[in-house]
Amino acid sequence: MVIRHAERPYAGGVGRNAEGEDDPGSLAGRGRRRAERLPRLFPPAPGSSLPRPAAVFAAGGKGAAVPARCRQTVEALATALRTPVRAEFAVGAEAALAQAVLAAPMPVLVCWEHSGIPRLIQALGADQVPGTPATWPDRHDLVWMFTRRQGRWSFRELPQHLLPGDV
């Protein structure tokens, strides 16, 4: 499963880091609310449309705004799942990330920067799956779910429905 990081501040705006300080590289208020509610997408009860992740990946790297937002987006979920956020891959290292994802216990959730998601999908070998968009839309409220059975990928796009205004 692949998601984009939650909402960032508008141009000229600032988010708040873990210490509550203004930080343009952190999530905006709406993004923080999305991150807080993300565990609701993966309830422990069977029959959910999304499986509970066994592994959670987020973009890594020191000092870059996008990786901070990616980690912030999945921290509450990782805490609820009692699993660490794996953030050893930087945006641009999608081939290495894909290898780690395929080797990780399934199901896996990856929170990434929208422009790098097509590279990740290609590195996974799922870029030719019918229905897979060529680029991530200008939205923060989606989950792209790729399922591989007998070496063949399938794709579904699912809404999050976590915040008012989500489509």
Side-chain angles (χ1 to χ4, degrees), residues 29-85:
R30 182 173 174 85
R32 284 194 314 279
R33 288 188 298 281
R34 181 174 305 284
E36 290 166 359
R37 294 178 184 169
L38 196 59
R40 296 179 188 180
L41 278 179
F42 306 98
S48 170
S49 60
L50 292 168
R52 285 175 69 83
V56 177
F57 289 83
K62 299 282 186 205
V66 170
R69 287 192 286 267
C70 291
R71 284 189 308 275
Q72 290 169 349
T73 299
V74 294
E75 283 172 342
L77 174 62
T79 298
L81 296 171
R82 296 188 177 116
T83 189
V85 176

Side-chain angles (χ1 to χ4, degrees), residues 81-167:
L81 296 171
R82 296 188 177 116
T83 189
V85 176
R86 292 192 54 189
E88 66 264 33
F89 301 100
V91 173
E94 287 82 9
L97 170 63
Q99 289 179 346
V101 164
L102 293 173
M106 296 291 160
V108 172
L109 176 71
V110 177
C111 181
W112 212 248
E113 200 280 322
H114 75 283
S115 66
I117 291 173
R119 292 189 301 268
L120 171 60
I121 304 311
Q122 183 177 21
L124 289 169
D127 56 315
Q128 298 302 313
V129 175
T132 304
T135 60
W136 189 273
D138 189 23
R139 294 177 56 184
H140 299 271
D141 63 343
L142 295 172
V143 178
W144 282 6
M145 188 165 158
F146 292 89
T147 305
R148 190 170 63 168
R149 292 190 195 343
Q150 299 176 349
R152 297 187 56 145
W153 288 101
S154 63
F155 169 77
R156 289 186 345 182
E157 182 177 272
L158 301 163
Q160 291 181 5
H161 294 298
L162 294 173
L163 299 173
D166 282 1
V167 178

